[in-house]
Amino acid sequence: MATVNRQLVLQSRPKGMLALGDLQLQETPVPELRDGQALGRVKYLSIDPTMRVWMAMDSYLPAVAIGEVMRSLGFAEIVESRHPDYKKGDRVSGLTGLQEYVVIDANAKQSLIQKVPKIPFVSDTVFLGTLGINGLTAYFGMEIAQPKKGETLVVSAAAGATGSIVGQIGKIHGCRVVGIAGTDEKCNWITRDLGFDAAINYKHTDWTEKLAAAVPSGIDIDFENVGGEIMQSVLGLMNLHGRVALCGLISGYTKEDPGLASFAAVLMKRLRVEGFIVLDYAPRFTEAGTQLAQWKMLGKIKDRETIVEGLEKAPDAINMLFTGGNTGKLIVKV
Ligand SMILES: NC(=O)c1ccc[n+]([C@@H]2O[C@H](COP(=O)([O-])OP(=O)(O)OC[C@H]3O[C@@H](n4cnc5c(N)ncnc54)[C@H](OP(=O)(O)O)[C@@H]3O)[C@@H](O)[C@H]2O)c1
């Protein structure tokens, strides 16, 4: 049994991308368990854009305090237990933090820790992506979007963990689905393998013309993951009474939020814009997880992962989200 817990603690609040030393590696003793506690060995960490927000400011959760273990979702296996609900070998997911061992106790509810079932042919990491935060976000965001057969859905960050699932749910509902992504390889993946009808590489200079050509009947739903110029262009092509599921604004997480140059399209096109945070839907996670698992089993949702090895690489991995270094779910293998 290991006696040392390696952890990444927040040392300074990043400005722009994470710099060396914003997260510092420290070693602490693995704590002795008290009654009512269990010890999980963290196997995988979920790397999410919201971590950059948690490092910088209070948002829908308080900012991580300086000196505190960096907050993150993760997947762990119970290695020791004095907790009535957990036994050795149980697998859990939830807010493990960027560390090798997590103590689960009476606060397990706040840390969203829950047991993970063994499903044949489903790897552990899927519980961080398609059957974890990203699948759930796509599911509830698409509920807000209310897709109807024949409508046009545009999703940004379309080859990422959330966007790639959003587009596939759009296809399940019979929508024309157009994804916006940052490389030709990503565009090929979402059209050839995931069934998107079209993909636009926003790094090509003529991308706005290509987007307009890809949505001949206009856009009914914007599943917005990026904000800024991309959102502005999409809103300009929306149909009257379109819906915007405002999921994320990643283009503003490492620099001053570019926001929108103009909100006029929301007014002129009578759009319904709804921001949402997936945690608000926690009471319905089982319902959504069951549906997502079914779609995955039936091959209606396919996924990809980008895996980075080693806890110490987590800061680099976080930065990859902002340079587009990942396709699908970004995970650190501890
Ligand atoms: N509301 C919620 O509850 C909730 C929950 C989870 C996630 N989210 C949000 O959903 C979005 C996607 O998150 P994710 O976890 O699925 O990450 P992800 O899409 O797997 O990774 C982020 C991707 O965003 C793209 N990107 C980064 N900076 C960009 C920029 N300036 N302009 C355009 N694209 C950019 C990159 O792909 P390219 O190569 O295509 O640029 C990158 O791969 C984020 O905004 C996140 O905050 C919200």
Side-chain angles (χ1 to χ4, degrees), residues 193-223:
D193 294 355
L194 305 189
F196 285 45
D197 297 285
I200 309 297
N201 181 344
Y202 70 89
K203 295 199 175 146
H204 291 175
T205 49
D206 59 348
W207 77 271
T208 48
E209 289 88 349
K210 285 195 171 135
L211 177 64
V215 295
S217 313
I219 300 169
D220 302 293
I221 297 166
D222 170 23
F223 195 106

mmCIF file of all heavy atoms in Angstrom, residues 193-223:
data_model
loop_
_atom_site.group_PDB
_atom_site.id
_atom_site.type_symbol
_atom_site.label_atom_id
_atom_site.label_comp_id
_atom_site.label_asym_id
_atom_site.label_seq_id
_atom_site.Cartn_x
_atom_site.Cartn_y
_atom_site.Cartn_z
ATOM 1 N N ASP A 193 -17.013 9.625 -39.647
ATOM 2 C CA ASP A 193 -17.259 8.593 -38.630
ATOM 3 C C ASP A 193 -18.509 8.860 -37.802
ATOM 4 O O ASP A 193 -19.157 7.927 -37.342
ATOM 5 C CB ASP A 193 -16.059 8.475 -37.668
ATOM 6 C CG ASP A 193 -14.824 7.964 -38.371
ATOM 7 O OD1 ASP A 193 -14.927 7.622 -39.560
ATOM 8 O OD2 ASP A 193 -13.758 7.908 -37.729
ATOM 9 N N LEU A 194 -18.818 10.124 -37.560
ATOM 10 C CA LEU A 194 -19.925 10.425 -36.635
ATOM 11 C C LEU A 194 -21.218 10.789 -37.351
ATOM 12 O O LEU A 194 -22.244 10.980 -36.703
ATOM 13 C CB LEU A 194 -19.533 11.555 -35.670
ATOM 14 C CG LEU A 194 -18.246 11.337 -34.853
ATOM 15 C CD1 LEU A 194 -18.095 12.433 -33.790
ATOM 16 C CD2 LEU A 194 -18.227 9.966 -34.188
ATOM 17 N N GLY A 195 -21.157 10.970 -38.667
ATOM 18 C CA GLY A 195 -22.403 11.192 -39.406
ATOM 19 C C GLY A 195 -22.888 12.631 -39.471
ATOM 20 O O GLY A 195 -24.028 12.878 -39.867
ATOM 21 N N PHE A 196 -22.041 13.601 -39.066
ATOM 22 C CA PHE A 196 -22.438 14.998 -39.260
ATOM 23 C C PHE A 196 -22.638 15.230 -40.762
ATOM 24 O O PHE A 196 -21.933 14.646 -41.591
ATOM 25 C CB PHE A 196 -21.336 15.959 -38.772
ATOM 26 C CG PHE A 196 -21.215 16.113 -37.278
ATOM 27 C CD1 PHE A 196 -21.237 15.020 -36.426
ATOM 28 C CD2 PHE A 196 -21.035 17.372 -36.714
ATOM 29 C CE1 PHE A 196 -21.096 15.183 -35.039
ATOM 30 C CE2 PHE A 196 -20.900 17.540 -35.344
ATOM 31 C CZ PHE A 196 -20.922 16.444 -34.501
ATOM 32 N N ASP A 197 -23.558 16.134 -41.110
ATOM 33 C CA ASP A 197 -23.817 16.394 -42.527
ATOM 34 C C ASP A 197 -22.746 17.277 -43.144
ATOM 35 O O ASP A 197 -22.467 17.180 -44.337
ATOM 36 C CB ASP A 197 -25.195 17.048 -42.668
ATOM 37 C CG ASP A 197 -26.282 16.097 -42.193
ATOM 38 O OD1 ASP A 197 -26.588 15.157 -42.937
ATOM 39 O OD2 ASP A 197 -26.779 16.263 -41.060
ATOM 40 N N ALA A 198 -22.168 18.157 -42.356
ATOM 41 C CA ALA A 198 -21.104 19.037 -42.867
ATOM 42 C C ALA A 198 -20.250 19.492 -41.688
ATOM 43 O O ALA A 198 -20.694 19.486 -40.540
ATOM 44 C CB ALA A 198 -21.711 20.246 -43.581
ATOM 45 N N ALA A 199 -19.012 19.867 -42.004
ATOM 46 C CA ALA A 199 -18.109 20.388 -40.966
ATOM 47 C C ALA A 199 -17.334 21.556 -41.546
ATOM 48 O O ALA A 199 -16.917 21.522 -42.707
ATOM 49 C CB ALA A 199 -17.159 19.289 -40.506
ATOM 50 N N ILE A 200 -17.148 22.569 -40.734
ATOM 51 C CA ILE A 200 -16.474 23.791 -41.179
ATOM 52 C C ILE A 200 -15.241 23.997 -40.315
ATOM 53 O O ILE A 200 -15.342 24.023 -39.081
ATOM 54 C CB ILE A 200 -17.410 25.026 -40.999
ATOM 55 C CG1 ILE A 200 -18.789 24.779 -41.634
ATOM 56 C CG2 ILE A 200 -16.741 26.294 -41.521
ATOM 57 C CD1 ILE A 200 -18.791 24.573 -43.125
ATOM 58 N N ASN A 201 -14.082 24.127 -40.978
ATOM 59 C CA ASN A 201 -12.851 24.439 -40.259
ATOM 60 C C ASN A 201 -12.758 25.965 -40.113
ATOM 61 O O ASN A 201 -12.515 26.678 -41.092
ATOM 62 C CB ASN A 201 -11.643 23.890 -41.036
ATOM 63 C CG ASN A 201 -10.334 24.158 -40.313
ATOM 64 O OD1 ASN A 201 -10.259 24.988 -39.398
ATOM 65 N ND2 ASN A 201 -9.287 23.449 -40.722
ATOM 66 N N TYR A 202 -12.923 26.435 -38.860
ATOM 67 C CA TYR A 202 -12.994 27.893 -38.642
ATOM 68 C C TYR A 202 -11.632 28.574 -38.790
ATOM 69 O O TYR A 202 -11.536 29.792 -38.712
ATOM 70 C CB TYR A 202 -13.624 28.219 -37.273
ATOM 71 C CG TYR A 202 -12.740 27.872 -36.085
ATOM 72 C CD1 TYR A 202 -11.827 28.786 -35.556
ATOM 73 C CD2 TYR A 202 -12.809 26.618 -35.478
ATOM 74 C CE1 TYR A 202 -11.015 28.470 -34.477
ATOM 75 C CE2 TYR A 202 -12.007 26.285 -34.410
ATOM 76 C CZ TYR A 202 -11.109 27.218 -33.908
ATOM 77 O OH TYR A 202 -10.299 26.896 -32.845
ATOM 78 N N LYS A 203 -10.590 27.779 -39.038
ATOM 79 C CA LYS A 203 -9.268 28.390 -39.250
ATOM 80 C C LYS A 203 -9.032 28.722 -40.722
ATOM 81 O O LYS A 203 -8.051 29.373 -41.066
ATOM 82 C CB LYS A 203 -8.179 27.494 -38.689
ATOM 83 C CG LYS A 203 -8.332 27.399 -37.163
ATOM 84 C CD LYS A 203 -7.118 26.940 -36.432
ATOM 85 C CE LYS A 203 -7.357 27.007 -34.929
ATOM 86 N NZ LYS A 203 -6.677 25.947 -34.200
ATOM 87 N N HIS A 204 -9.911 28.261 -41.597
ATOM 88 C CA HIS A 204 -9.826 28.650 -43.012
ATOM 89 C C HIS A 204 -10.418 30.048 -43.157
ATOM 90 O O HIS A 204 -11.440 30.362 -42.544
ATOM 91 C CB HIS A 204 -10.596 27.676 -43.907
ATOM 92 C CG HIS A 204 -9.954 26.317 -43.999
ATOM 93 N ND1 HIS A 204 -10.518 25.263 -44.660
ATOM 94 C CD2 HIS A 204 -8.779 25.839 -43.495
ATOM 95 C CE1 HIS A 204 -9.729 24.192 -44.583
ATOM 96 N NE2 HIS A 204 -8.668 24.528 -43.879
ATOM 97 N N THR A 205 -9.789 30.873 -44.012
ATOM 98 C CA THR A 205 -10.205 32.286 -44.069
ATOM 99 C C THR A 205 -11.640 32.455 -44.587
ATOM 100 O O THR A 205 -12.316 33.408 -44.227
ATOM 101 C CB THR A 205 -9.243 33.102 -44.970
ATOM 102 O OG1 THR A 205 -9.094 32.375 -46.190
ATOM 103 C CG2 THR A 205 -7.892 33.301 -44.319
ATOM 104 N N ASP A 206 -12.098 31.504 -45.411
ATOM 105 C CA ASP A 206 -13.445 31.654 -45.967
ATOM 106 C C ASP A 206 -14.495 30.860 -45.180
ATOM 107 O O ASP A 206 -15.529 30.487 -45.722
ATOM 108 C CB ASP A 206 -13.446 31.186 -47.431
ATOM 109 C CG ASP A 206 -13.019 29.727 -47.556
ATOM 110 O OD1 ASP A 206 -12.506 29.159 -46.557
ATOM 111 O OD2 ASP A 206 -13.201 29.134 -48.637
ATOM 112 N N TRP A 207 -14.225 30.633 -43.883
ATOM 113 C CA TRP A 207 -15.108 29.717 -43.144
ATOM 114 C C TRP A 207 -16.527 30.261 -42.994
ATOM 115 O O TRP A 207 -17.480 29.494 -42.982
ATOM 116 C CB TRP A 207 -14.507 29.337 -41.785
ATOM 117 C CG TRP A 207 -14.609 30.391 -40.710
ATOM 118 C CD1 TRP A 207 -13.716 31.372 -40.445
ATOM 119 C CD2 TRP A 207 -15.667 30.545 -39.758
ATOM 120 N NE1 TRP A 207 -14.135 32.134 -39.392
ATOM 121 C CE2 TRP A 207 -15.331 31.647 -38.949
ATOM 122 C CE3 TRP A 207 -16.853 29.867 -39.495
ATOM 123 C CZ2 TRP A 207 -16.147 32.095 -37.905
ATOM 124 C CZ3 TRP A 207 -17.668 30.306 -38.454
ATOM 125 C CH2 TRP A 207 -17.320 31.402 -37.680
ATOM 126 N N THR A 208 -16.682 31.563 -42.927
ATOM 127 C CA THR A 208 -18.050 32.078 -42.717
ATOM 128 C C THR A 208 -18.900 31.858 -43.979
ATOM 129 O O THR A 208 -20.077 31.524 -43.884
ATOM 130 C CB THR A 208 -18.052 33.568 -42.322
ATOM 131 O OG1 THR A 208 -17.215 34.277 -43.222
ATOM 132 C CG2 THR A 208 -17.562 33.780 -40.912
ATOM 133 N N GLU A 209 -18.271 32.004 -45.154
ATOM 134 C CA GLU A 209 -18.998 31.725 -46.408
ATOM 135 C C GLU A 209 -19.369 30.240 -46.468
ATOM 136 O O GLU A 209 -20.473 29.872 -46.850
ATOM 137 C CB GLU A 209 -18.147 32.054 -47.644
ATOM 138 C CG GLU A 209 -17.915 33.543 -47.891
ATOM 139 C CD GLU A 209 -16.693 34.097 -47.155
ATOM 140 O OE1 GLU A 209 -16.136 33.396 -46.285
ATOM 141 O OE2 GLU A 209 -16.299 35.232 -47.435
ATOM 142 N N LYS A 210 -18.400 29.403 -46.055
ATOM 143 C CA LYS A 210 -18.660 27.955 -46.096
ATOM 144 C C LYS A 210 -19.776 27.587 -45.113
ATOM 145 O O LYS A 210 -20.602 26.721 -45.402
ATOM 146 C CB LYS A 210 -17.392 27.181 -45.771
ATOM 147 C CG LYS A 210 -16.416 27.190 -46.942
ATOM 148 C CD LYS A 210 -15.360 26.132 -46.760
ATOM 149 C CE LYS A 210 -14.517 25.975 -48.017
ATOM 150 N NZ LYS A 210 -13.097 25.900 -47.752
ATOM 151 N N LEU A 211 -19.789 28.249 -43.979
ATOM 152 C CA LEU A 211 -20.847 27.971 -42.997
ATOM 153 C C LEU A 211 -22.211 28.348 -43.588
ATOM 154 O O LEU A 211 -23.168 27.565 -43.518
ATOM 155 C CB LEU A 211 -20.594 28.753 -41.691
ATOM 156 C CG LEU A 211 -21.675 28.594 -40.618
ATOM 157 C CD1 LEU A 211 -21.771 27.141 -40.115
ATOM 158 C CD2 LEU A 211 -21.420 29.515 -39.421
ATOM 159 N N ALA A 212 -22.273 29.530 -44.203
ATOM 160 C CA ALA A 212 -23.544 29.977 -44.797
ATOM 161 C C ALA A 212 -24.009 28.979 -45.858
ATOM 162 O O ALA A 212 -25.195 28.627 -45.928
ATOM 163 C CB ALA A 212 -23.377 31.374 -45.385
ATOM 164 N N ALA A 213 -23.048 28.473 -46.660
ATOM 165 C CA ALA A 213 -23.417 27.523 -47.722
ATOM 166 C C ALA A 213 -23.883 26.191 -47.136
ATOM 167 O O ALA A 213 -24.688 25.482 -47.748
ATOM 168 C CB ALA A 213 -22.218 27.309 -48.643
ATOM 169 N N ALA A 214 -23.375 25.859 -45.950
ATOM 170 C CA ALA A 214 -23.715 24.550 -45.346
ATOM 171 C C ALA A 214 -25.081 24.563 -44.664
ATOM 172 O O ALA A 214 -25.570 23.512 -44.245
ATOM 173 C CB ALA A 214 -22.631 24.158 -44.336
ATOM 174 N N VAL A 215 -25.677 25.758 -44.532
ATOM 175 C CA VAL A 215 -26.990 25.822 -43.855
ATOM 176 C C VAL A 215 -27.994 26.537 -44.771
ATOM 177 O O VAL A 215 -28.483 27.612 -44.453
ATOM 178 C CB VAL A 215 -26.888 26.513 -42.465
ATOM 179 C CG1 VAL A 215 -26.041 25.674 -41.521
ATOM 180 C CG2 VAL A 215 -26.287 27.919 -42.560
ATOM 181 N N PRO A 216 -28.325 25.912 -45.921
ATOM 182 C CA PRO A 216 -29.178 26.592 -46.901
ATOM 183 C C PRO A 216 -30.546 26.999 -46.346
ATOM 184 O O PRO A 216 -31.134 27.969 -46.813
ATOM 185 C CB PRO A 216 -29.332 25.553 -48.030
ATOM 186 C CG PRO A 216 -28.863 24.262 -47.463
ATOM 187 C CD PRO A 216 -27.916 24.568 -46.369
ATOM 188 N N SER A 217 -31.022 26.298 -45.331
ATOM 189 C CA SER A 217 -32.326 26.677 -44.748
ATOM 190 C C SER A 217 -32.156 27.466 -43.459
ATOM 191 O O SER A 217 -33.084 27.566 -42.651
ATOM 192 C CB SER A 217 -33.145 25.425 -44.445
ATOM 193 O OG SER A 217 -33.139 24.549 -45.538
ATOM 194 N N GLY A 218 -30.972 28.018 -43.245
ATOM 195 C CA GLY A 218 -30.727 28.762 -42.003
ATOM 196 C C GLY A 218 -30.480 27.811 -40.837
ATOM 197 O O GLY A 218 -30.460 26.585 -40.995
ATOM 198 N N ILE A 219 -30.283 28.395 -39.652
ATOM 199 C CA ILE A 219 -29.958 27.591 -38.460
ATOM 200 C C ILE A 219 -31.117 27.708 -37.458
ATOM 201 O O ILE A 219 -31.562 28.809 -37.142
ATOM 202 C CB ILE A 219 -28.649 28.103 -37.805
ATOM 203 C CG1 ILE A 219 -27.474 28.015 -38.794
ATOM 204 C CG2 ILE A 219 -28.347 27.336 -36.521
ATOM 205 C CD1 ILE A 219 -26.206 28.733 -38.336
ATOM 206 N N ASP A 220 -31.590 26.572 -36.993
ATOM 207 C CA ASP A 220 -32.668 26.576 -35.988
ATOM 208 C C ASP A 220 -32.119 26.473 -34.569
ATOM 209 O O ASP A 220 -32.705 26.985 -33.631
ATOM 210 C CB ASP A 220 -33.621 25.401 -36.251
ATOM 211 C CG ASP A 220 -34.204 25.478 -37.659
ATOM 212 O OD1 ASP A 220 -34.979 26.413 -37.911
ATOM 213 O OD2 ASP A 220 -33.835 24.633 -38.514
ATOM 214 N N ILE A 221 -30.979 25.763 -34.446
ATOM 215 C CA ILE A 221 -30.405 25.550 -33.108
ATOM 216 C C ILE A 221 -28.907 25.840 -33.143
ATOM 217 O O ILE A 221 -28.185 25.319 -33.992
ATOM 218 C CB ILE A 221 -30.583 24.087 -32.653
ATOM 219 C CG1 ILE A 221 -32.072 23.736 -32.536
ATOM 220 C CG2 ILE A 221 -29.868 23.837 -31.328
ATOM 221 C CD1 ILE A 221 -32.328 22.244 -32.416
ATOM 222 N N ASP A 222 -28.475 26.668 -32.210
ATOM 223 C CA ASP A 222 -27.043 26.859 -31.989
ATOM 224 C C ASP A 222 -26.702 26.209 -30.655
ATOM 225 O O ASP A 222 -27.183 26.662 -29.604
ATOM 226 C CB ASP A 222 -26.715 28.360 -31.938
ATOM 227 C CG ASP A 222 -25.284 28.622 -31.478
ATOM 228 O OD1 ASP A 222 -24.434 27.721 -31.609
ATOM 229 O OD2 ASP A 222 -25.019 29.747 -30.970
ATOM 230 N N PHE A 223 -25.889 25.141 -30.685
ATOM 231 C CA PHE A 223 -25.364 24.584 -29.435
ATOM 232 C C PHE A 223 -23.999 25.237 -29.269
ATOM 233 O O PHE A 223 -23.034 24.885 -29.946
ATOM 234 C CB PHE A 223 -25.255 23.062 -29.496
ATOM 235 C CG PHE A 223 -25.063 22.438 -28.133
ATOM 236 C CD1 PHE A 223 -26.100 21.755 -27.510
ATOM 237 C CD2 PHE A 223 -23.856 22.561 -27.452
ATOM 238 C CE1 PHE A 223 -25.932 21.182 -26.248
ATOM 239 C CE2 PHE A 223 -23.683 22.007 -26.195
ATOM 240 C CZ PHE A 223 -24.716 21.313 -25.585
#
